[in-house]
Amino acid sequence: MTSAVVVGEDSDTQDVGNLWWRTAGAPLAAEPLEGNVRADAVIVGGGFTGCSAALHLAEAGMAVRLLEARSIGFGGSGRNVGLVNAGLWLPPEKVEEALGEAVGRRLNAALAAGPELVFSLIGRLGIDCEATRSGTLHCAHSQGGLDDLNDRLRQLRAQGAPVELLDAQETAARTGTPAFHGALLDRRAGTIQPLAYCRGLARAARDAGAVLHEHTPALDIARDGEAWRVTTPDGSVTAGALLVAVNAYGRPATGMPAPAYVPVHYFQIATRPLTDNLRRGVLPERQGCWDTAPVMSSFRLDAAGRLLVGAVGSLEGPGARWHRAWAERKLAALFPDLAGIDLEHAWCGRIAMTGDHLPKILRLGERGVSVFGYSGRGISPGTTFGKAVAAYLVDGNERALPCDPVDAHRERLAGVKQAYYEFGASLTHAVGER
């Protein structure tokens, strides 16, 4: 077996290990900011949220400057599994319980429509990102997991969602493995090449008039009279509206509270492209899959026929060898014909997990917000929140937002929780699938 190459999650040479960086096509190559400029809105962060906001602000006629500390999609948007799912990890009733019925319903409705927004933008803008809308499969790893899916089915159907619960035999036919007790099929959802999608949003935003700057970290963010002023190494942007959308990849900036979350790592390992013989029967409709296990894992195909397996865990810490060995065993357990297949790519990224698993919109001041905490659901929520925040920044009406903003957010014992998640994943992977 050929071992996959992996590099550090903050490395500027991450394209060596990250499959998405190898297959996303040409990068954007936006010039760093030089000099002091003015705009209607300034965005810090070039991921799904920031690029969606930049696009929708520019299309609304606003003069926009987007500042990205590395390159567009460098953070979680370029390390994502690529599942375009509706909703959150929390089922709808839990969302309403946490936020109250009115706000919870508003957020549930906005995110239920998330996949339609993503795929409609891909079609309207002509984004080449391996888009496949054949649904996703939430797979039951146990009878308890199947019971949970039955409850989710009830809640989602109450919302009018086009979902169905497959039995074990139907699940085996759709996945190519008999490993699961059943699966929840959501036909609203699908898969994409996430970095190509993020870059596509950025290019569309630039075409609409937004000005993008890569390799331009925000060093200081402050209210300057009736405007916001973002200072960078070689210049500044002064604007009436501000969005900070750095999620789990923010750099410290004076004058601005850092997003509060628990960093949780998620890694992925990809095989070489499968031969026609090996490919036969493996995810024949190309649904993306994830499971109900306490330490969640996922699997999907890319356009070239590589099989990607991912799970909670870091490929940089002491548990890396256990995570890698588990991925090899997991592949063989799911698809015995793939035992010993070459693994060509390996990478990981950080998820911004909040204690209640709900995204946050933090008020920073007049027409200024920070958005973070998708807890592993980046594509649809990021695109949805970016569009909604754009509408809010145009006129300052908070009712445009999918949930109510808060004045402060704290995460207690974030470092302890981070270590707990990684230790649990490492221990699970050390003994799992044996």
Side-chain angles (χ1 to χ4, degrees):
M1 174 183 293
T2 301
S3 178
V5 176
V6 65
V7 296
E9 64 176 332
D10 290 313
S11 170
D12 287 318
T13 59
Q14 63 177 298
D15 58 309
V16 173
N18 188 334
L19 172 65
W20 304 138
W21 284 75
R22 293 293 296 272
T23 62
L28 220 70
E31 293 297 319
L33 173 68
E34 294 185 359
N36 303 316
V37 299
R38 301 190 70 88
D40 296 323
V42 56
I43 298 169
V44 179
F48 298 131
T49 305
C51 291
S52 174
L55 169 66
H56 290 98
L57 282 166
E59 290 184 335
M62 298 275 279
V64 183
R65 295 274 179 159
L66 183 149
L67 312 177
E68 165 54 47
R70 295 291 186 91
S71 56
I72 295 297
F74 176 88
S77 300
R79 306 159 196 272
N80 195 283
V81 176
L83 304 186
V84 185
N85 280 314
L88 299 168
W89 295 120
L90 287 183
E93 289 178 1
K94 290 290 187 182
V95 174
E96 292 184 17
E97 181 182 317
L99 296 177
E101 185 175 348
V103 178
R105 284 186 176 180
R106 190 169 95 223
L107 179 58
N108 282 331
L111 297 183
E116 180 59 33
L117 173 61
V118 170
F119 286 108
S120 66
L121 286 172
I122 290 169
R124 175 169 71 87
L125 303 172
I127 299 175
D128 182 7
C129 61
E130 303 181 12
T132 302
R133 196 175 189 184
S134 56
T136 54
L137 292 167
H138 193 179
C139 300
H141 79 295
S142 66
Q143 182 58 48
L146 187 61
D147 293 341
D148 177 68
L149 294 184
N150 262 301
D151 189 53
R152 287 175 181 266
L153 176 74
R154 175 187 62 80
Q155 295 184 44
L156 291 169
R157 282 189 170 171
Q159 286 190 311
V163 295
E164 62 181 288
L165 191 64
L166 309 180
D167 63 22
Q169 185 175 358
E170 293 170 315
T171 301
R174 293 198 186 255
T175 60
T177 175
F180 301 106
H181 292 243
L184 190 65
L185 170 62
D186 189 339
R187 298 185 182 278
R188 298 170 295 179
T191 61
I192 60 173
Q193 209 278 26
L195 180 58
Y197 170 65
C198 187
R199 287 178 178 174
L201 288 179
R203 289 191 174 92
R206 187 167 62 183
D207 291 344
V211 182
L212 314 181
H213 300 284
E214 295 180 309
H215 306 290
T216 304
L219 303 180
D220 181 80
I221 303 174
R223 190 73 181 167
D224 184 8
E226 296 185 354
W228 293 96
R229 184 179 179 86
V230 180
T231 302
T232 71
D234 297 305
S236 67
V237 181
T238 301
L242 166 72
L243 166 61
V244 177
V246 295
N247 213 35
Y249 281 82
R251 292 182 171 187
T254 58
M256 191 58 42
Y261 59 87
V262 177
V264 176
H265 289 83
Y266 199 91
F267 71 89
Q268 295 182 78
I269 293 180
T271 71
R272 60 172 169 79
L274 304 183
T275 63
D276 290 343
N277 186 48
L278 290 175
R279 171 75 175 78
R280 192 174 295 113
V282 176
L283 295 170
E285 297 180 14
R286 290 184 176 267
Q287 280 102 357
C289 307
W290 77 103
D291 65 25
T292 59
V295 178
M296 192 201 80
S297 62
S298 61
F299 60 101
R300 59 159 295 191
L301 290 166
D302 77 344
R306 300 177 182 88
L307 185 61
L308 285 66
V309 174
V312 174
S314 172
L315 294 183
E316 296 184 26
R321 60 188 180 90
W322 292 325
H323 299 320
R324 285 172 164 274
W326 169 88
E328 295 175 6
R329 298 194 304 272
K330 184 71 172 180
L331 273 172
L334 292 174
F335 307 104
D337 288 345
L338 300 185
I341 192 171
D342 292 344
L343 303 177
E344 291 188 340
H345 300 274
W347 68 102
C348 67
R350 290 191 295 271
I351 293 170
M353 186 80 71
T354 58
D356 57 9
H357 305 297
L358 290 169
K360 306 300 175 187
I361 302 176
L362 181 65
R363 288 191 190 94
L364 301 176
E366 185 177 353
R367 292 177 68 200
V369 293
S370 174
V371 178
F372 58 92
Y374 299 127
S375 297
R377 286 282 180 99
I379 299 173
S380 289
T383 305
T384 299
F385 272 62
K387 180 180 180 181
V389 169
Y392 159 70
L393 294 181
V394 168
D395 60 14
N397 185 352
E398 290 186 354
R399 289 197 293 180
L401 299 172
C403 60
D404 291 346
V406 297
D407 293 320
H409 175 69
R410 285 184 169 184
E411 288 289 340
R412 293 175 57 85
L413 303 173
V416 174
K417 292 176 182 177
Q418 178 185 8
Y420 170 79
Y421 283 124
E422 179 60 30
F423 176 77
S426 298
L427 182 62
T428 298
H429 291 160
V431 301
E433 307 301 335
R434 292 190 182 275

